[in-house]
Amino acid sequence: MILVLLVCGLALIALVLLGLFVFGLRRRLIQRSGGTFDCSLRWDAPDPQEAPDTSGKGWGYGVARYNGDRIEWFRVFSYAPRPRRVLERSAIEVVDRRAPDGEEELALLSDAVVLGCLHRGVRLELAMSEDALTGFLAWLEAAPPGQRVNVA
């Protein structure tokens, strides 16, 4: 009986370690090509002029990766090999920038800046560090000639 419990316990520990290893391996593969940054995302966010939502709900912690004229956003706590969201540079419109407020400060990284955007008519918010924000805005403004860029 004790041997069965010991084997089950060791199998459970091995499974947990394997799961953590796969999380780490997935993040390494995402970051392999470079151009990645930590970025929280809130899809279909409320308009702050109408009803500001500082509850911290709806935020997903992730890693964003530049891929040509697109940003690919991957959830951190997922095993999915594909990005959860893909944002095209030509469809992103920056509408506001603000500091996290209320309970958002607990839901986001400590040095995060919240950037309000529209992507194909859907309001979303991206939260990233000041350095990542500088790179993101530079990437937006570096669109090829003839492409529309909307940075507020």
Side-chain angles (χ1 to χ4, degrees), residues 123-143:
R123 178 156 171 80
L124 62 106
E125 291 179 326
L126 301 168
M128 60 191 86
S129 70
E130 193 71 48
D131 291 340
L133 176 64
T134 302
F136 178 77
L137 294 176
W139 174 80
L140 271 181
E141 292 174 358

Side-chain angles (χ1 to χ4, degrees), residues 91-102:
I92 298 172
E93 180 181 345
V94 176
V95 292
D96 65 356
R97 176 197 293 191
R98 63 181 177 81
D101 194 28

